[in-house]
Amino acid sequence: MIAFENVAYSYSGGELLSDVSLHLAPGSFHFLTGPSGSGKSTFLKLAYAELRPTSGRVTLFDRDVTSLTRDDIARTRRRIGIVHQDCKFLDHLSLSANMALPFTVSDRESDPRDLDELLSWVGLRHLADSLPPQLSGGERQRAALARAVIVDPDVIMADEPTGNVDWEMSLRILTLLVELNRMGKTIVVATHDLNLIRQAKAQVPARVLRIAKRRVQLAGADL
Amino acid sequence: MKPPAAKPATPRTRAIRVVPPSGPTAWLTSFTAAAMTFLCVFALSLSLASDRLANRWSEALARTATIRLSAPAEQVALQTEAILATLASTPGIKSFRAIDDAETRALLEPWFGPDLPIEDLPIPKLFEVIEDVPGYDSEGLRQRLTAEAPGAVLDDHTRWRRPLAEAAARIRLLGLLSIALIGATMAAMITLAARAALATNAEVIRVLRLVGAKDSYIARAFVRRFTLRAFSGATIGAVAGLAGVFALPAADAAGGFLTGLGFTGLSWFWPAALPPIAAIVAFFATRRAAFQKLKELT
């Protein structure tokens, strides 16, 4: 589904990731961990084609990302739900309009009942008409997750989805991700929260990718 | 939880909302379009007026020529014969005639009064030549006349017509150049405004790209907005410009140049065409700016 072959990525300052080779199978649940600045976000950006590798090959849905046009990338993003670290909403639109945005930008309209159902699932139904700046950190994260899944993507990538929320809310978000994985979605979560990873391992067969010394390695079961 | 079903949206209303309203800067685009169109109406009216003037002068003077014969008395009859024979054998002349003494007197009367003893004066003999379509070769005719009737001078009015027609053509050219410059300035200003709007909304664009919006979708939201602003601004400018033209004194038949500024007949079409043209200019300027800017963002 998503494959990296000898991928390296360097900023002007130097190499951030090198020699990354891995394959994310459909229906798998992966955690991506490592210290701040180790390249977790960069890894995810490579995986949703926001960045292109400086060497090696990234394949998304059996297509080499370097061969994708901007429109191809747009179409690919409709198959990938992204929960961004800082959520990224349009602050002038209501929560429900933001949730429906992936439909709006592909010139489709979401069924209001389904939107309601999705808002109830993340527990934000009562806030449907609020503007994003009025929401708390946890509410924003859950809304971002709901927006990521609204178009029924094959893959969901979340960058520090529990970064700004308390432990209770972290568990709620994790539960939502686990539910999605049980529905067959491929999940990739970047986090530095090891407790969260342990908690998840109790619920799903999650695998852990650790970034250390510019390499991405599959961590053992000893976490 | 199941994924929501999707049905086609009405993209018209959707595309606008995703870009936040831009407040007072929106007026600048409309104002620019209005001011430019206002100026354009005058440039147009100047061009059209000089065009009409050039045509009027050319038509009135181009169709006719005069031959003037000044010769010693005993030669007049002989050279008159020669001139008439030459004209008769020149292709491209529709008709010609010698102007008789009574008519010559009538022509001179406004200057010299009715009691002019024309017989006693060395008044040249005049011939009127009316050109056919296509016309005659005036240089050839001139040379033949010099050979056949040395006292004959062909005056095809080129002397009068050329500088006037040239002046009118130059004014028309200046008018057209002004219109082109006004159009280019408007395109430049709208490009700058669009680039500013795109830069201000870089974060919005990033969000839209993140959720799978194509460049064309994002560009549409901006292009639509700027096209409508340019159109509404240009409409106001065109109406104001036309009101200004109406306020000018009416053109009389004598058609002085300044009073001839205005629109007649089909030329009314041009000011009416300005708002759509402004909209088209805005459309392409914004589209170009949008796609250029979008390429800079991932």
Side-chain angles (χ1 to χ4, degrees):
Chain A
M1 185 159 271
I2 295 174
F4 283 58
E5 282 172 56
N6 304 314
V7 170
Y9 186 82
S10 24
Y11 288 101
S12 50
E15 207 163 52
L16 188 63
L17 293 172
S18 68
D19 202 21
V20 178
S21 294
L22 56 88
H23 180 83
L24 302 181
S28 63
F29 196 126
H30 283 89
F31 279 104
L32 181 67
T33 187
S36 295
S38 59
K40 296 192 292 290
S41 294
T42 303
F43 178 89
L44 289 182
K45 281 177 180 170
L46 287 165
Y48 62 79
E50 170 128 11
L51 296 174
R52 291 183 182 207
T54 32
S55 73
R57 222 161 90 106
V58 175
T59 316
L60 285 183
F61 305 109
D62 303 321
R63 289 189 67 181
D64 188 338
V65 290
T66 50
S67 73
L68 298 178
T69 64
R70 288 179 63 81
D71 282 354
D72 288 335
I73 290 173
R75 273 187 288 269
T76 305
R77 298 257 172 92
R78 294 174 193 173
R79 300 179 63 185
I80 303 176
I82 302 161
V83 184
H84 207 272
Q85 204 165 358
D86 45 9
C87 297
K88 305 248 187 216
F89 293 112
L90 297 184
D91 290 345
H92 65 290
L93 293 182
S94 70
L95 180 60
S96 54
N98 265 291
M99 302 259 292
L101 206 56
F103 275 126
T104 312
V105 299
S106 48
D107 284 337
R108 291 176 294 169
E109 219 160 59
S110 53
D111 188 322
R113 278 172 309 177
D114 292 329
L115 195 63
D116 254 17
E117 201 182 320
L118 196 55
L119 278 166
S120 307
W121 178 64
V122 293
L124 296 173
R125 197 172 166 185
H126 60 294
L127 295 170
D129 296 326
S130 326
L131 295 176
Q134 299 167 334
L135 304 180
S136 72
E139 286 162 348
R140 285 167 68 84
Q141 287 292 350
R142 281 181 286 152
L145 183 59
R147 185 183 66 188
V149 301
I150 196 166
V151 282
D152 192 24
D154 302 319
V155 184
I156 291 145
M157 296 185 194
D159 193 356
E160 299 283 3
T162 60
N164 299 314
V165 299
D166 59 29
W167 176 242
E168 197 185 334
M169 188 55 73
S170 298
L171 288 181
R172 262 183 93 176
I173 290 169
L174 178 67
T175 310
L176 296 174
L177 288 167
V178 169
E179 276 178 39
L180 287 165
N181 182 241
R182 289 195 179 130
M183 287 163 58
K185 311 286 182 207
T186 310
I187 313 276
V188 185
V189 181
T191 183
H192 60 269
D193 187 344
L194 298 184
N195 284 330
L196 189 76
I197 298 174
R198 284 192 201 98
Q199 192 69 39
K201 282 196 149 191
Q203 300 177 41
V204 285
R207 312 191 76 178
V208 179
L209 301 166
R210 182 182 291 143
I211 303 182
K213 293 179 189 150
R214 305 198 306 273
R215 310 284 164 120
V216 180
Q217 291 149 340
L218 199 60
D222 57 320
L223 196 75
Chain B
M1 193 220 57
K2 69 179 172 58
K7 60 180 180 191
T10 46
R12 226 166 54 84
T13 50
R14 291 284 179 168
I16 325 165
R17 281 201 314 151
V18 296
V19 179
S22 48
T25 51
W27 285 103
L28 293 178
T29 312
S30 300
F31 172 76
T32 305
M36 290 297 159
T37 313
F38 184 80
L39 294 176
C40 207
V41 168
F42 285 101
L44 253 181
S45 119
L46 183 74
S47 295
L48 290 169
S50 56
D51 196 35
R52 273 199 303 277
L53 205 60
N55 284 340
R56 215 183 301 152
W57 284 332
S58 297
E59 258 173 45
L61 297 171
R63 315 300 308 160
T64 63
T66 314
I67 294 168
R68 201 167 68 240
L69 173 62
S70 310
E74 66 277 12
Q75 287 270 316
V76 170
L78 197 64
Q79 291 203 17
T80 300
E81 283 297 307
I83 289 168
L84 292 176
T86 305
L87 289 174
S89 62
T90 304
I93 290 176
K94 196 173 181 184
S95 67
F96 60 91
R97 65 191 181 90
I99 293 173
D100 60 31
D101 288 348
E103 211 177 330
T104 307
R105 185 173 301 149
L107 281 171
L108 292 173
E109 203 181 272
W111 282 272
F112 297 110
D115 304 324
L116 183 72
I118 199 165
E119 296 76 12
D120 303 339
L121 287 170
I123 301 285
K125 181 96 183 141
L126 295 175
F127 301 82
E128 186 190 53
V129 179
I130 294 174
E131 202 179 312
D132 206 350
V133 181
Y136 58 88
D137 165 21
S138 64
E139 200 44 48
L141 179 61
R142 192 167 283 132
Q143 281 172 12
R144 286 177 61 204
L145 283 173
T146 315
E148 304 288 331
V153 175
L154 172 67
D155 179 5
D156 60 0
H157 307 150
T158 319
R159 215 150 39 97
W160 300 103
R161 201 169 66 205
R162 192 174 287 151
L164 290 175
E166 269 176 12
R170 205 60 60 79
I171 290 170
R172 183 178 54 185
L173 189 70
L174 278 177
L176 293 177
L177 188 68
S178 309
I179 291 168
L181 283 175
I182 288 167
T185 308
M186 190 164 77
M189 283 176 157
I190 288 173
T191 301
L192 289 175
R195 287 191 72 87
L198 287 156
T200 311
N201 289 300
E203 193 51 40
V204 170
I205 292 170
R206 223 164 272 137
V207 173
L208 293 174
R209 286 292 298 174
L210 196 69
V211 297
K214 288 186 193 178
D215 285 355
S216 55
Y217 178 87
I218 301 168
R220 200 164 70 210
F222 288 93
V223 167
R224 194 185 145 79
R225 186 172 283 191
F226 279 92
T227 304
L228 287 175
R229 278 177 202 161
F231 183 78
S232 56
T235 305
I236 294 167
V239 169
L242 282 174
V245 170
F246 264 124
L248 290 172
D252 57 23
F257 176 69
L258 280 171
T259 55
L261 278 178
F263 298 101
T264 53
L266 270 182
S267 66
W268 282 106
F269 166 79
W270 288 109
L274 290 177
I277 291 172
I280 291 168
V281 167
F283 177 87
F284 284 107
T286 318
R287 203 177 146 79
R288 213 176 104 89
F291 278 102
Q292 264 176 1
K293 186 77 191 170
L294 284 167
K295 282 212 176 69
E296 295 168 15
L297 305 164
T298 45

